[in-house]
Amino acid sequence: MKVYSTGPSTATSAILIIYDIFGYSPQALQGADILAHADQHHQYKVFMPDFFKGNYIAHGTFPPDTEEKKKTLGDFFAGPAEPGKNAGKVPEIVKGLQGRDEGKNVAKWGSVGMCWGGKIVSLTSQAGTPWTAAAEVHPAMVDPNDAKGFKVPVCMLASGDENPDDVEGFKKNLSVENHVETFKDQLHGWMAARGDLQNEKVKAEYERGYGTLLDFFHKYL
């Protein structure tokens, strides 16, 4: 599996980013670099595996405002992006990365799930999790029941497009340390492929979001 990697080879903590359905977007790759290098006193090795092997959803498919788009997304989520199947790949991916030169010094792992990836983080943060700390940004398929099984601290940064009842229910069901925050004026995907970084407000909130993730990982990873 192709993997984007960044950060110093001497880092002993790593973050696995599980991208959104649009794959290797410039905004997501820039986010990986921010997490890896933004704090020179606390850097991370960051990996972003190519779960979909280059077969991503076209940007124009979202939001799904036509029947054709709904079918395209439905088929994708039932096929290549089926959550349970992809969550099952994560332990082997982590093991494989630890066997590579870039991951040989890593002692602790964190995760960031973007949109679709947020669901994968939820499913892999239960009993037996490989993570020391986990994060989800503008997560898709937020299920308060997933929160009940979390075994590690979690940071959830929701957009204004997520169902607020689901986000609040998720927070209420957590028994681990957490930071749950909603960026109410940002759309779903602002920290990844749908973030318009030419817009000064979006750019500022994109940067604040990644700063929040860094503060969280500095505390728990």
Side-chain angles (χ1 to χ4, degrees):
M1 181 182 290
K2 177 182 176 181
V3 179
Y4 176 78
S5 63
T6 184
S9 60
T10 54
T12 57
S13 294
I15 298 170
L16 186 84
I17 295 179
I18 304 175
Y19 56 29
D20 59 25
I21 59 176
F22 306 111
Y24 284 138
S25 65
Q27 302 95 317
L29 295 173
Q30 181 176 327
D33 291 336
I34 291 171
L35 292 174
H37 298 291
D39 186 341
Q40 62 178 338
H41 301 295
H42 201 149
Q43 296 182 323
Y44 301 97
K45 194 70 188 172
V46 178
F47 300 95
M48 190 186 300
D50 190 11
F51 278 83
F52 303 140
K53 300 178 181 178
N55 298 311
Y56 315 129
I57 284 289
H59 281 252
T61 308
F62 197 91
D65 50 11
T66 68
E67 290 303 315
E68 182 180 1
K69 291 180 182 180
K70 289 177 183 177
K71 184 180 187 306
T72 297
L73 281 174
D75 290 347
F76 192 72
F77 277 92
E82 197 282 314
K85 177 179 68 176
N86 284 282
K89 297 177 183 177
V90 168
E92 284 301 313
I93 289 173
V94 171
K95 183 179 178 181
L97 291 172
Q98 288 175 318
R100 294 169 53 153
D101 286 344
E102 305 101 303
K104 64 183 179 182
N105 294 320
V106 175
K108 294 186 295 183
W109 288 83
S111 62
V112 174
M114 300 171 166
C115 306
W116 168 83
K119 184 65 173 182
I120 310 306
V121 167
S122 281
L123 295 177
T124 56
S125 295
Q126 313 289 311
T129 180
W131 318 131
T132 300
E136 304 182 15
V137 298
H138 34 78
M141 299 172 281
V142 177
D143 184 348
N145 288 319
D146 289 340
K148 297 175 182 178
F150 263 70
K151 301 301 182 185
V152 293
V154 59
C155 175
M156 177 182 282
L157 304 182
S159 77
D161 291 336
E162 276 74 77
N163 184 313
D165 292 336
D166 289 342
V167 174
E168 182 61 26
F170 188 95
K171 179 175 175 59
K172 286 182 178 179
N173 283 346
L174 289 167
S175 60
V176 295
E177 294 188 66
N178 64 85
H179 176 88
V180 177
E181 181 179 357
T182 298
F183 288 60
K184 293 182 179 179
D185 61 352
Q186 295 304 303
L187 54 71
H188 180 78
W190 96 94
M191 289 178 65
R194 299 185 72 223
D196 178 9
L197 300 186
Q198 300 303 309
N199 180 301
E200 288 302 319
K201 176 62 175 176
V202 175
K203 181 181 178 183
E205 292 296 79
Y206 172 95
E207 292 172 349
R208 184 167 75 87
Y210 279 100
T212 302
L213 290 181
L214 282 170
D215 289 343
F216 172 77
F217 284 122
H218 289 353
K219 184 175 182 179
Y220 294 109
L221 185 58

